[in-house]
């Protein structure tokens, strides 16, 4: 079989192993959590994308039941009502008609978003008030909620555009410089430690560079919104500030440009990269995720330098991934999942190759798919080698963000060589 045929077969097998909520929950409890990352809404995305609507309905039914009794959660795309709302919006798209539950939850998401956006707009960076990562990022903050609100299909309702505008206004304001003891820092500088994001002071804090938790998330949303015709005053300027910062902090390696995970204060009080070499080429914190945001900005504002830098950095990341894999070197990808594994790099590279037509990126897709395929394990409960422990945490083996559901989705994109019909990777702000 060809690589595409093998990818299609493994995607189908993984979907089959994830067909029954009770069976998956029996292997691992978080399957019935109300989350995109680990739980029922995220696994439903796989079946919606594959057109298995009855199976998806079972998973969504479990999620809806959870939502009826779940305690109120913080407003975040990957947890609680917004996670279910995102999945139900995809279900309405797959069904070709509005769903009452989706309409109801969309109103709750708008309410959550209004509150968080208003809270962020009241922050005074000019007086030294730092933003928290959970306020603005993709996983927990405004960038993720805005990604969901950006979807106008298959239903629209009064209030969605207003809520999206509030998000865009708040994220545009994120570029107002932070003033601390006479020093000017990026407006997205946070008084949190780099590892674990524990509270700290501004001096011991950092500016996060990863797409999942850093400045590229707001940049990607602002760029995609502009292309969709959703704009607020100052949005283009904010895109230029964020993209310009990424251009300024990029590093140059043997293979080409790359970005650090974080920027911190150096001994002289200036900002410096906190890493001396490229890390894993992952969606969450690696160069490819960052480069995708820069490319989207360059496409939205028609800045060739940003687009060209993004492609050059992506080529460099793929070259480094090949070398690290061949040498079993530190910093290589070892998991199959979307967040920090091979599937995330596969999906993101497919998007970039499709958008740019770059022959190097296109030629790298089969090799990336092979890396996911070699992690197939028929003896494992969900068909893949379980994720390794990272930073003391064990990733979910079945769900969307780090497990089999997400890997199956990326394999499906590669196998069909077509953009996701449900737009599921909007949750990663890749498109």
């Amino acid at each position: 079989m060809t690589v595409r045929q093998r990818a299609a077969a493994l995607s189908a097998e993984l979907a089959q192993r994830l067909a029954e909520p009770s069976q998956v929950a029996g292997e691992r409890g978080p399957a019935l959590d109300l989350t995109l990352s680990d739980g029922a809404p995220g696994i439903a995305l796989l079946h919606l994308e594959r057109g298995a609507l009855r199976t998806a309905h079972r998973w969504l039914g479990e999620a809806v039941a959870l939502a009826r009794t779940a305690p109120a959660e913080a407003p975040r795309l990957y947890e609680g009502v917004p996670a279910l709302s995102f999945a139900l919006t995809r279900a309405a798209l797959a069904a070709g008609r509005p769903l009452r539950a989706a309409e109801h939850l969309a109103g709750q998401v708008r309410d959550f978003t209004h509150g968080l956006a208003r809270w962020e707009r009241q922050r005074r960076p000019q007086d030294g008030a730092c933003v928290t990562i959970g306020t603005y990022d993709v996983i927990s903050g405004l960038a993720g909620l805005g990604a969901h609100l950006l979807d106008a299909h298959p239903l629209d309702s009064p209030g969605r555009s207003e809520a999206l505008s509030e998000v865009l206004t708040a994220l545009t304001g994120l570029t107002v410089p932070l003033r601390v003891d006479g020093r000017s820092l990026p407006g997205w500088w946070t008084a949190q430690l780099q590892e674990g994001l524990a509270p700290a002071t501004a001096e011991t804090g950092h500016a996060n560079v990863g797409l999942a938790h850093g400045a590229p998330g707001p940049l990607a949303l602002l760029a995609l919104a502009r292309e969709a015709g959703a704009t607020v005053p100052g949005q283009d300027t904010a895109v230029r500030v964020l993209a310009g910062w990424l251009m300024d902090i990029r590093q140059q390696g043997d293979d080409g440009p790359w970005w650090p995970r974080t920027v911190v204060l150096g001994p002289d009080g200036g900002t410096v990269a906190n890493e001396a070499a490229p890390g894993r080429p992952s969606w969450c914190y690696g160069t490819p995720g960052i480069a995708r945001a820069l490319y989207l900005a360059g496409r939205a504002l028609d800045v060739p330098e940003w687009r060209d830098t993004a492609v050059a950095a992506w080529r460099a990341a793929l070259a480094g991934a090949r070398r690290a894999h061949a040498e079993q070197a530190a910093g290589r990808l070892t998991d199959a999942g979307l967040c920090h594994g091979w599937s995330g790099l596969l999906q993101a590279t497919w998007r970039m190759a499709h958008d740019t037509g770059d022959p190097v990126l296109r030629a790298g897709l089969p090799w990336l798919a092979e890396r996911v395929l070699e992690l197939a394990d028929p003896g494992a409960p969900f068909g893949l080698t379980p994720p390794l422990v990272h930073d003391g945490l064990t990733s979910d083996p079945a769900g969307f963000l780090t497990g089999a559901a997400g890997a199956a989705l990326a394999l499906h994109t590669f196998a069909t060589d077509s953009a996701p019909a449900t737009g599921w990777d909007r949750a990663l702000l890749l498109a």
Side-chain angles (χ1 to χ4, degrees):
M1 289 195 294
T2 67
V3 178
R4 289 194 191 280
Q5 289 170 331
R6 291 165 56 210
L10 181 56
S11 179
E13 179 184 344
L14 297 179
Q16 181 59 38
R17 290 179 182 237
L18 295 169
E20 291 296 334
S22 59
Q23 182 178 346
V24 176
E27 295 283 354
R28 164 210 146 272
L32 298 187
D33 286 349
L34 194 61
T35 68
L36 270 186
S37 53
D38 303 332
I43 295 174
L45 294 179
L46 168 61
H47 301 296
L48 291 168
E49 181 63 28
R50 294 182 58 83
L53 299 188
R54 289 186 179 180
T55 305
H57 180 76
R58 288 197 293 272
W59 280 101
L60 291 171
E62 295 284 352
V64 169
L66 285 170
R68 293 193 183 104
T69 59
E73 299 285 355
R76 58 187 67 182
L77 175 60
Y78 274 76
E79 187 171 345
V81 166
L84 177 55
S85 178
F86 184 86
L88 283 174
T89 299
R90 268 72 204 156
L93 179 64
R97 58 181 174 83
L99 300 178
R100 183 177 301 176
E103 294 173 326
H104 174 69
L105 291 181
Q108 294 188 46
V109 173
R110 290 194 300 270
D111 291 343
F112 289 156
T113 304
H114 285 311
L116 184 59
R118 283 196 296 266
W119 187 83
E120 168 56 20
R121 290 202 308 274
Q122 293 171 0
R123 184 176 60 88
R124 294 183 59 82
Q126 62 271 32
D127 294 336
C130 290
V131 71
T132 60
I133 283 174
T135 300
Y136 74 80
D137 75 352
V138 175
I139 301 296
S140 302
L142 289 167
L145 291 171
H148 182 19
L149 291 168
L150 189 56
D151 291 315
H153 56 269
L155 54 91
D156 206 349
S157 58
R160 184 194 65 86
S161 296
E162 179 185 348
L164 177 59
S165 293
E166 288 197 53
V167 170
L168 299 177
T169 298
L171 293 180
T172 293
L174 193 66
T175 58
V176 174
L178 178 73
R179 299 291 298 179
V180 178
D181 296 332
R183 177 191 293 118
S184 181
L185 295 171
W188 50 95
W189 192 274
T190 182
Q192 294 171 275
L193 298 177
Q194 302 94 295
E195 298 298 331
L197 305 182
T201 64
E203 289 75 16
T204 57
H206 72 288
N208 199 293
V209 193
L211 177 55
H213 295 297
L219 176 60
L221 177 66
L222 292 170
L224 288 168
R226 188 186 193 279
E227 290 185 318
T231 59
V232 297
Q235 185 168 332
D236 284 3
T237 299
V239 169
R240 292 186 182 280
V241 169
L242 288 161
W245 182 71
L246 291 180
M247 292 292 288
D248 289 343
I249 66 168
R250 73 190 189 277
Q251 311 293 302
Q252 190 66 32
D254 293 339
D255 296 312
W258 61 276
W259 282 274
R261 291 166 54 98
T262 55
V263 169
V264 297
L265 290 179
D268 63 354
T271 58
V272 296
N274 197 36
E275 291 79 28
R280 293 179 299 186
S282 60
W283 166 77
C284 56
Y285 271 104
T287 285
I290 300 161
R292 180 60 177 171
L294 184 63
Y295 174 82
L296 292 173
R299 190 176 70 183
L301 267 59
D302 192 20
V303 182
E305 183 184 9
W306 299 349
R307 299 196 301 267
D308 293 345
T309 299
V311 172
W314 212 294
R315 287 184 169 197
L318 289 183
R322 285 180 179 272
R323 185 168 54 253
H325 179 73
E327 298 173 357
Q328 297 290 291
R332 69 187 187 280
L333 297 178
T334 55
D335 297 343
L338 292 173
C339 183
H340 44 258
W342 289 109
S343 294
L345 182 55
L346 173 62
Q347 183 69 22
T349 303
W350 188 93
R351 281 289 188 183
M352 277 292 283
H354 178 268
D355 289 350
T356 65
D358 184 78
V360 174
L361 303 190
R362 189 75 186 173
L365 291 172
W367 183 82
L368 292 173
E370 288 277 13
R371 304 289 71 77
V372 182
L373 291 168
E374 69 184 11
L375 290 171
D377 182 358
F382 307 112
L384 292 173
T385 301
L388 299 178
V389 175
H390 290 289
D391 300 326
L393 299 174
T394 301
S395 295
D396 174 65
F400 170 76
L401 195 57
T402 60
L409 281 163
L411 288 171
H412 184 72
T413 298
F414 170 74
T416 60
D417 198 26
S418 57
T422 61
W424 61 264
D425 57 353
R426 172 60 57 82
L428 305 175
L429 270 180
L430 291 177

